[in-house]
Every structure is written in C-alpha cells, then in structure tokens.
C-alpha cells in the first residue's frame, strides 16, 4: 500500500481541496407522457425506457 513519505502541511492540503468544484448536471428537455421535462442528460435513456417515471408535482 502506498504511504506518503512526509506529512502534508495544512496549507497545502487546504489549497488542494479548494480546487475541487462540483458542477451542476446538464439538463436537457425530454417529452414524457406529453409533458416536456428537464432531466439530467445521463438519465435521458432511463426516462425514455420508463425506468424512471415523471414525478408528480
């Protein structure tokens, strides 16, 4: 198992962690049961096959 040779300073650790950013999912329009909905692009095939149903609001 890999082991670090030296302890990473708090400053370096926080600097590295601060670079990570979450990005919102890309929404695309899909027509399901005659209604147009915005769904994440990676879930479009699941919506089209009926594996995920439209949420009733």
């Amino acid at each position: 198992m890999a082991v670090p040779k030296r302890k990473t300073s708090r400053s370096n650790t926080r600097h590295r962690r601060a670079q990570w950013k979450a990005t919102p999912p890309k929404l695309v329009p899909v027509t399901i049961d005659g209604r147009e909905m915005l769904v994440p692009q990676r879930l479009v095939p699941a919506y089209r096959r009926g594996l995920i149903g439209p949420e009733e609001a």
Side-chain angles (χ1 to χ4, degrees):
M1 184 168 97
V3 178
K5 291 187 181 230
R6 293 187 182 273
K7 180 177 179 179
T8 304
S9 70
R10 181 180 293 172
S11 174
N12 284 342
T13 301
R14 290 181 177 166
H15 188 297
R16 184 183 67 247
R17 286 181 183 160
Q19 300 305 311
W20 185 85
K21 300 284 188 295
T23 57
K26 181 180 174 191
L27 299 178
V28 295
V30 175
T31 304
I32 302 167
D33 296 334
R35 290 179 21 200
E36 188 156 313
M37 301 173 53
L38 290 175
V39 298
Q41 185 176 14
R42 65 186 207 90
L43 295 178
V44 169
Y47 273 96
R48 288 197 176 137
R49 289 194 288 171
L51 300 174
I52 303 174
E55 295 82 21
E56 297 299 324

